Amino acid sequence: MNYKGKLLRDNALKGKTIVVTGGGSGLGKAMSTYFLELGANVVITSRNMEKLTKVKAELEEKTGGKVLAVPCDVREYDQVEVLVNATTDAFGSADVLVNNAAGNFISPTERLSSNAFDTIIDIVLKGTKNCTLAFGKHWIEKKETEKSVLNIVTTYAWTGSAYVVPSATAKAGVLAMTRSLAVEWAKYGMRFNAIAPGPFPTKGAWDRLLPGDLKDKFDMTKKVPLKRVGEHQELANLAAYLVSDFSAYINGEVITIDGGEWLKGAGQFNMLEQIPEEMWDMLEMMIRSKKKG
Ligand code: HXC
Ligand code: NAP
């Protein structure tokens, strides 16, 4: 099966300008690459300008597209306003905002300082709020329509998860923001959607969520019914579709791309998968005999 293939036709995003927060690494870089391949201009942003400059050169060389690199800590509203202005100066306007930047690490919650908890909430929830508010206000003021915001959340935005409590709390907020603004700002010509990825190995996430030999101890593929982790291109395909005009009637949706991982953890009897095929005859007989008794 060719799940590493590219989904959309050439130039499917031509004429669009797409801002990707955290676009210099991991999934943000994968999405940025594919958006460029599909003809979009892309603005990549993070706190590390040295990294962004390198990635800009790499992506322009690889795709022939136009990349603007802007340093911006999404926690700081004034820096986000600079990002809006830099995007407008370079490309006229932004058409799409992808709120992808995130911070996260595993920790028992009682070990967290108040500042540690705040740091994650600030990057994920406040950062998404800052970018959404700054771009949203700009689009409303300029009466620009046909805009779209794509928020990258996680499946534990609705299940919650132990040991990543600030992240779960913040992602739940981002999901609520997605659904709320999908309704409230539709009148201004904006769509809001979210993607909830399962495990997609990236250095940023794996160094903080599976440090040291935890990678071997907790084999993520075992948690996924499809028995594999995600390929970056699969996520980029979904993101490209959701920011393209092909998804113009999708609004307020969160699309899970996790090979069935979170449902495997949720279904009460999913553990019966461990029962060997040959045991089922005996189990069935035991159950049927109870009915007679
Ligand atoms: C406990 C910690 C800690 C740790 C930092 N802190 N690391 N506390 N355990 N492992 C505390 C610090 O001591 C400090 O609190 C506070 O957190 C802020 O730390 P700083 O290092 O000053 O913050 P900053 O430089 O802003 O860095 C933010 C960061 C860092 C989140 C800590 O890891 C980062 O830059 N992350 C960005 C990339 C990232 O996290 N990517 C993963 C996304 S993965 P005190 O009280 O000492 O001041 C993801 C996937 C989800 O979201 C699902 C996967 C399946
Ligand atoms: P990553 O490589 O660590 O990417 C995180 C990005 O966010 C980095 O580019 C980082 O850049 C940027 N960032 C962090 N703090 C920032 C700040 N204050 N201001 C601006 N940018 C900031 O992680 P990833 O795995 O690609 O994750 C991307 C997204 O997917 C995140 O939203 C994550 O929650 C989500 N996700 C990932 C997985 C997975 O399995 N990988 C699963 C579920 C959800 P700088 O450090 O240069 O600032």
Side-chain angles (χ1 to χ4, degrees), residues 25 27 47 51 73 75 100-108 111-120 123-124 152-156 164 167-168 171 197-211 220 223 261:
S25 65
L27 301 181
R47 297 162 297 180
K51 175 174 82 182
D73 187 328
R75 291 172 284 195
N100 165 78
N104 199 2
F105 50 77
I106 49 167
S107 177
R111 288 173 60 100
L112 295 173
S113 68
S114 175
N115 184 44
F117 206 121
D118 284 351
T119 299
I120 304 305
I123 300 172
V124 176
I152 310 300
V153 295
T154 62
T155 53
Y156 58 61
V164 283
S167 171
K171 294 286 193 184
F200 281 77
T202 63
K203 185 167 167 27
W206 260 230
D207 283 356
R208 294 173 175 91
L209 302 173
L210 294 167
M220 293 305 253
K223 294 183 69 223
E261 184 204 26

Side-chain angles (χ1 to χ4, degrees), residues 13-63:
L13 298 178
K14 191 147 191 77
K16 288 196 191 294
T17 295
I18 305 180
V19 177
V20 183
T21 68
S25 65
L27 301 181
K29 186 176 170 186
M31 288 187 279
S32 298
T33 307
Y34 191 41
F35 296 160
L36 287 159
E37 287 172 346
L38 292 169
N41 303 316
V42 173
V43 182
I44 54 172
T45 174
S46 85
R47 297 162 297 180
N48 183 339
M49 190 55 190
E50 203 184 315
K51 175 174 82 182
L52 292 178
T53 306
K54 272 194 205 140
V55 172
K56 168 187 157 72
E58 181 193 327
L59 295 191
E60 286 186 336
E61 157 103 40
K62 183 173 176 193
T63 67

Side-chain angles (χ1 to χ4, degrees), residues 154-204:
T154 62
T155 53
Y156 58 61
W158 55 89
T159 62
S161 176
Y163 301 100
V164 283
V165 171
S167 171
T169 308
K171 294 286 193 184
V174 172
L175 184 55
M177 198 191 310
T178 310
R179 289 173 169 154
S180 305
L181 288 175
V183 174
E184 188 180 332
W185 281 359
K187 61 177 178 279
Y188 297 122
M190 290 178 225
R191 291 188 299 128
F192 288 81
N193 290 297
I195 293 178
F200 281 77
T202 63
K203 185 167 167 27

